[in-house]
Amino acid sequence: MDTQVIGHRTPRVDGEFKLTGRADYTVDWQAQNMLYGYPVPASIAHGTLEKLHLDTARAMPGVVDIFHHGHFPKLYRSPNSPTHQDQVSEVRLPFEDERIHYDGQYIALVVAESFEQARAAAHAVHADYRRESGAIASLLDTDREGRLLASEGASRGDPEKAFDEAPVKIDHTYHIAAESHMQMEVHATLAEWRDERLIVHESSQGVVYQHKAMARIFGLPDESVEVVSHYIGSGFGNKLFMWPHAVATAGAAQMLGRPVKTILSRQQDMESGGNRPASRQRLRLAADPDGRLVSMRHDSTTETSFVHRYVDSLGSATPSLYACDNVAISQRLLEVHHGTPCPMRAPGETSGIHALETALDELAVELEMDPLELRRRNYADQDPASELPWSSKHLDDCYTSAAKRFGWERRDPAPGAMRDGDEIIGWGMATASWPALRMPCAARVELRDDGSVMAACGTQDIGTGTYTIVAQTVAELSGVPLKDIEVRLGESTLPAGPLSGGSMVTATALPAVAAALRNAFDALKEVATGEGGAFEGSDPESLEIEGGALKDDQGKRVSFGEMLTQQKLGSVNGEGQAAPGDEKGQYSFRSFGAHFVEVRWDPGISRLRVARVVSSIDIGRAINPSAARNQVEGSIVMGIGMALTEKLDYDPRDARLINNNYADYIVPCHADMPEIGVELLDNPDYAFNEFGARGVGEIGLTGIAAAIGNAVYHATGKRIRDLPITLEKVMDT
Amino acid sequence: MNMKEYSRQGDEAGSAETAVTLSVNGEMHQLRISPNVVLLDALRDRLGLTGTKKGCDHGQCGACTVHLDGQAINSCLKLAVMCEGHEVTTVEGLANDAGLHPVQQAFLEHDAYQCGFCTPGQMMSATALLEDERIGTDDAAVREAMSGNICRCGAYKNILAAIQTARGQGQAAPTAGKTS
Ligand code: FES
Ligand code: FES
């Protein structure tokens, strides 16, 4: 497709709002007569709440009410069904009973006239608990294995026999600490009841899901709920499904008859607003002497909480990534006493690919083979799991291009052999991959008499650039300039759109927007060729769209706006739907890429830095290459944190979270930045959708921590199998 | 000068509210607030200037960065009552009738953000550092100086490029200390 706007670098259409402070994030909303909610978190992780001492807090200035078990509306649980889109992050309702399942679980919600008053009163609430011993702080602190999940297993061939008979093998176990999303805007809800209707502003990656869940929980018809999320201070998975603070806030607003806004503190957000679960993974790989994989076994355990079952599917990529006849994956789930985990950017596969790509590096060492060569020798020309051809796979080009730009051929394989002054240089690489997902979606487009176009879809822009790519799509197909295109997202009353997750919005929403636009064109042509129309009597099929106008084969042109104005019409509308079709049974859809990393280790002062990252990623077509590249660069930054510093530290004695803030939970800052060179290949995947895009939000995070860890091994000769690779591990092991 | 009066319901229980006059982006505001209200919450909740963001409330993230007399500060660490007699500049004060501030323009062109939530703070730090002669002009110096502003979306590379582009593009001092 020869394009004018799609595939071209486009400044964000919402940029000016964000840059001038006018973008309306949830935390920015105020309502008439609004109150502030402030949750009171439990200060134990395992036990029972015996008594709440509320008298002091109740008497404090501005306090309107304090909600808790026994003083809260009776609500229903949400069915929590992905199919019916009422999934929630925690099925347990707030204040449902007096059991405490994790540190930070809400035991009360203080509501007051001002934020300061609510906070002060919340701090004045005291609780008596009956503590129970035996709290499980983390999977990292226990030998418990958890229960095996039949739903997550897969196998082909006879991996055990092949392993036993193979000449070269490795068998290692890898741990990854729980991580926090640390999205910059904490979870926040503003709930308001108007004429029995519940209107919720939520910093959400899924307004449709929250809408349905709220309706089920409050026993309302779907028509009586509305969820709004125009701008989201990011969410890396933890805002996909609603958390209990939103229910507590909506319940409080209902009982008080006034709007209530609750903004979690950073501490609460980290304790009870989701995390990437810690994991334990055993990888058993075997190869023949030429480095061909003959057996892969990937056995994982992840955490969930005692109040919700969340499964991070760690092994899902493993059967598809490399050609190997004998493969088995299994997964176990262990309940722990900390806040409920949830998806975090490239959930499951980020952890799974980390272990697999580290294990492959270990196998390459055993084989005395270049780790890139090992991957090439096991290249999967079709999807070995489904045995379907790939819709479009260019991983070999990614390897070649990234290796060349990095200078990989100059690598001396001996650990510690490459030096620069006091620093030891380590080079490592890994494969990146994420499935291409697409869901059904609806959209609406309005062509207006002033020549502008409005496109609406009930999905969200979490910072990935959805507003802009929707506008680009409309501009491309209509010829209307971007400045005359309005995009509306983030309202659950708009035509239903997808979650901002799974890197699926681009492939899901754009075809629906295009379908709606084409229907709007048809409506316009009907007007144009009808009585009194500019093209009265012409065959609608003969009219073409060009530059915001209709055109016939005689060269006559009438702009959309002119046409509507002539007919005294304000607008014409088109609704459109799009969904994946039977291509699903014909191809396997997945994106691939390669990361090459240089680390520098200065043993004299024990300094470990990521110095350089070179990545080539194939995501099909990038609709907006600048925003797409930004996604991959941001993923690399997050991967540096995962590899080197990020760890939620739960106290093994009582399972309480120790580092619940930005100073003690260390995310990469500006001074940590390496040189980053990201290349996006441009191979449109038209088997997947008409725009050839597979999505880009997550793939960059997969493999990056493994590439860093492999580089650390190459620099130091030390294989750190537990993330994060903190300095003491490099120094001691 | 446009004087606006804001007040909250009185505290029956007697926690004293104090009168304070804040000068923000060249406009004077009279407030009655309790002494524990930080500048960030005064701006956001009382004055409706919600461009300044809260990421941590603890001086750990930089999202709340504003200028106080032209110096970048964390507004979550500053009591509002201490700001009387000083000039506060927020992100809302960066652009003027002539259009976006050069730093804003450079952020737009370099895609120096994703979700945009850290961005007001990033830009306030950036405008301050470009005026600060103690801070070097090389990339390493800028990275160091910008390290108090976390961007969890990880747009650092583009933020750096934007700042270096804005440098020398006649980046005017923001409206600090001036009355518009
Ligand atoms: S909100 Fe002030 S530094 Fe984070
Ligand atoms: S743009 Fe999202 S945190 Fe910086």
Side-chain angles (χ1 to χ4, degrees), chain A residues 515-551:
Chain A
L517 185 60
R518 291 184 183 118
N519 286 336
F521 290 156
D522 287 346
L524 189 70
K525 288 177 184 174
E526 201 180 309
V527 170
T529 55
E531 206 181 315
F535 298 94
E536 183 171 349
S538 298
D539 176 7
E541 299 288 313
S542 70
L543 299 179
E544 279 179 39
I545 306 289
E546 192 191 83
L550 283 182
K551 200 184 84 171

Coordinates of all heavy atoms in Angstrom, one line a residue, chain A residues 515-551:
Chain A
A515 N -13.5 0.6 8.6 CA -14.8 0.1 8.2 C -15.9 1.2 8.4 O -16.8 1.4 7.6 CB -15.2 -1.2 8.9
A516 N -15.8 1.8 9.6 CA -16.7 2.9 9.9 C -16.6 4.0 8.9 O -17.6 4.6 8.5 CB -16.5 3.4 11.3
L517 N -15.4 4.4 8.6 CA -15.1 5.5 7.7 C -15.7 5.1 6.3 O -16.4 6.0 5.7 CB -13.6 5.7 7.6 CG -13.2 6.9 6.7 CD1 -13.8 8.2 7.3 CD2 -11.7 7.0 6.7
R518 N -15.5 3.9 5.9 CA -16.1 3.5 4.5 C -17.6 3.6 4.5 O -18.2 4.0 3.6 CB -15.6 2.2 4.1 CG -14.1 2.2 3.9 CD -13.5 0.9 3.4 NE -12.1 1.0 3.2 CZ -11.2 0.3 3.9 NH1 -11.6 -0.6 4.7 NH2 -9.9 0.5 3.6
N519 N -18.2 3.2 5.7 CA -19.6 3.3 5.8 C -20.1 4.8 5.8 O -21.1 5.1 5.2 CB -20.2 2.6 7.0 CG -20.1 1.1 6.8 OD1 -20.1 0.6 5.7 ND2 -20.0 0.3 7.9
A520 N -19.3 5.6 6.4 CA -19.6 7.0 6.3 C -19.5 7.6 4.9 O -20.3 8.4 4.5 CB -18.7 7.8 7.3
F521 N -18.5 7.1 4.2 CA -18.4 7.5 2.8 C -19.6 7.1 2.0 O -20.1 7.8 1.2 CB -17.1 6.8 2.1 CG -15.8 7.4 2.6 CD1 -14.7 6.6 2.5 CD2 -15.7 8.7 3.2 CE1 -13.4 7.1 3.0 CE2 -14.5 9.1 3.6 CZ -13.3 8.3 3.5
D522 N -20.1 5.9 2.3 CA -21.3 5.4 1.6 C -22.5 6.3 1.9 O -23.3 6.6 1.0 CB -21.6 3.9 1.9 CG -20.6 3.0 1.3 OD1 -19.9 3.4 0.4 OD2 -20.6 1.8 1.8
A523 N -22.6 6.7 3.1 CA -23.7 7.5 3.5 C -23.6 8.9 2.8 O -24.6 9.5 2.3 CB -23.7 7.8 5.0
L524 N -22.4 9.3 2.6 CA -22.2 10.6 1.9 C -22.5 10.5 0.5 O -23.1 11.4 -0.1 CB -20.7 11.1 2.1 CG -20.4 12.5 1.7 CD1 -21.0 13.5 2.6 CD2 -18.9 12.7 1.6
K525 N -22.1 9.4 -0.1 CA -22.4 9.2 -1.6 C -23.9 9.1 -1.8 O -24.3 9.5 -2.9 CB -21.7 7.9 -2.0 CG -20.2 8.0 -2.1 CD -19.5 6.7 -2.5 CE -18.0 6.8 -2.6 NZ -17.4 5.5 -2.8
E526 N -24.6 8.5 -0.9 CA -26.0 8.4 -1.0 C -26.6 9.8 -1.0 O -27.5 10.1 -1.9 CB -26.6 7.7 0.2 CG -27.9 7.1 0.0 CD -28.4 6.3 1.3 OE1 -27.6 5.5 1.8 OE2 -29.5 6.6 1.8
V527 N -26.1 10.7 -0.2 CA -26.5 12.1 -0.2 C -26.2 12.7 -1.5 O -27.0 13.4 -2.1 CB -25.9 12.8 1.0 CG1 -26.1 14.3 0.9 CG2 -26.4 12.3 2.3
A528 N -24.9 12.5 -1.9 CA -24.4 13.2 -3.1 C -25.2 12.8 -4.4 O -25.4 13.7 -5.3 CB -22.9 12.9 -3.2
T529 N -25.6 11.6 -4.4 CA -26.2 11.1 -5.7 C -27.7 11.2 -5.6 O -28.4 10.9 -6.6 CB -25.8 9.6 -6.0 OG1 -26.1 8.8 -4.9 CG2 -24.3 9.5 -6.3
G530 N -28.2 11.5 -4.4 CA -29.7 11.6 -4.3 C -30.2 12.9 -4.8 O -29.5 13.8 -5.3
E531 N -31.5 13.1 -4.5 CA -32.2 14.3 -5.1 C -31.5 15.6 -4.6 O -31.3 15.8 -3.4 CB -33.7 14.3 -4.6 CG -34.6 15.0 -5.5 CD -36.0 15.0 -5.0 OE1 -36.4 13.9 -4.6 OE2 -36.7 16.0 -5.0
G532 N -31.2 16.5 -5.5 CA -30.6 17.8 -5.1 C -29.1 17.7 -4.8 O -28.5 18.7 -4.4
G533 N -28.6 16.4 -4.8 CA -27.2 16.3 -4.5 C -26.3 16.8 -5.6 O -26.7 16.9 -6.7
A534 N -25.0 17.0 -5.2 CA -24.1 17.5 -6.2 C -23.8 16.6 -7.3 O -23.5 17.0 -8.4 CB -22.8 17.9 -5.5
F535 N -24.0 15.3 -7.1 CA -23.8 14.3 -8.1 C -25.1 13.5 -8.4 O -25.1 12.3 -8.6 CB -22.7 13.3 -7.7 CG -21.3 13.9 -7.5 CD1 -20.9 14.3 -6.2 CD2 -20.5 14.1 -8.6 CE1 -19.7 14.9 -6.1 CE2 -19.2 14.7 -8.4 CZ -18.8 15.1 -7.1
E536 N -26.2 14.3 -8.4 CA -27.5 13.7 -8.5 C -27.6 12.8 -9.7 O -27.2 13.1 -10.8 CB -28.6 14.8 -8.6 CG -30.0 14.2 -8.7 CD -31.1 15.3 -8.6 OE1 -30.8 16.4 -8.2 OE2 -32.3 14.9 -8.8
G537 N -28.1 11.6 -9.5 CA -28.2 10.6 -10.6 C -27.0 9.8 -10.9 O -27.1 8.8 -11.7
S538 N -25.9 10.2 -10.4 CA -24.7 9.4 -10.7 C -24.7 8.1 -10.0 O -25.4 7.9 -8.9 CB -23.4 10.1 -10.3 OG -23.2 11.3 -11.0
D539 N -23.9 7.1 -10.5 CA -23.8 5.9 -9.8 C -22.8 6.1 -8.6 O -21.7 6.5 -8.8 CB -23.2 4.8 -10.7 CG -22.9 3.5 -10.1 OD1 -23.3 3.3 -8.9 OD2 -22.3 2.6 -10.7
P540 N -23.3 5.8 -7.4 CA -22.4 6.0 -6.2 C -21.1 5.3 -6.4 O -20.0 5.8 -5.9 CB -23.2 5.4 -5.0 CG -24.6 5.3 -5.5 CD -24.6 5.3 -7.0
E541 N -21.1 4.2 -7.0 CA -19.9 3.4 -7.2 C -18.8 4.2 -8.0 O -17.6 3.9 -8.0 CB -20.2 2.1 -8.0 CG -21.2 1.2 -7.2 CD -20.5 0.5 -6.0 OE1 -19.4 0.0 -6.1 OE2 -21.2 0.6 -4.9
S542 N -19.3 5.1 -8.8 CA -18.4 5.8 -9.7 C -17.7 6.9 -9.0 O -16.7 7.5 -9.6 CB -19.1 6.3 -10.9 OG -20.0 7.4 -10.5
L543 N -18.1 7.2 -7.8 CA -17.5 8.4 -7.1 C -16.3 7.9 -6.3 O -16.3 6.8 -5.7 CB -18.5 9.0 -6.1 CG -19.8 9.6 -6.8 CD1 -20.7 10.2 -5.8 CD2 -19.4 10.7 -7.8
E544 N -15.3 8.7 -6.3 CA -14.1 8.4 -5.5 C -13.8 9.5 -4.4 O -14.3 10.6 -4.5 CB -12.9 8.5 -6.5 CG -12.7 7.2 -7.3 CD -11.5 7.3 -8.2 OE1 -10.5 7.8 -7.8 OE2 -11.6 6.8 -9.3
I545 N -13.1 9.0 -3.4 CA -12.7 9.9 -2.3 C -11.3 10.4 -2.6 O -10.4 9.6 -2.8 CB -12.7 9.1 -1.0 CG1 -14.0 8.4 -0.7 CG2 -12.3 10.0 0.2 CD1 -15.2 9.3 -0.4
E546 N -11.2 11.7 -2.5 CA -9.8 12.3 -2.7 C -9.7 13.6 -2.0 O -10.5 14.5 -2.2 CB -9.6 12.5 -4.2 CG -8.1 12.8 -4.5 CD -7.9 13.2 -6.0 OE1 -8.1 14.4 -6.2 OE2 -7.6 12.4 -6.8
G547 N -8.7 13.7 -1.2 CA -8.4 15.0 -0.5 C -9.7 15.6 0.2 O -9.9 16.8 0.2
G548 N -10.4 14.8 0.9 CA -11.6 15.3 1.7 C -12.7 15.7 0.8 O -13.6 16.5 1.2
A549 N -12.7 15.1 -0.4 CA -13.8 15.5 -1.3 C -14.3 14.2 -2.1 O -13.6 13.2 -2.2 CB -13.3 16.5 -2.3
L550 N -15.5 14.3 -2.7 CA -15.9 13.3 -3.6 C -15.6 13.8 -5.0 O -15.7 15.0 -5.3 CB -17.5 13.1 -3.5 CG -18.0 12.3 -2.3 CD1 -19.5 12.2 -2.4 CD2 -17.4 10.9 -2.3
K551 N -15.3 12.8 -5.9 CA -14.8 13.2 -7.2 C -15.5 12.2 -8.2 O -15.6 11.0 -7.9 CB -13.3 13.0 -7.2 CG -12.6 13.7 -8.3 CD -11.1 13.4 -8.3 CE -10.9 12.1 -9.0 NZ -9.5 11.7 -9.2

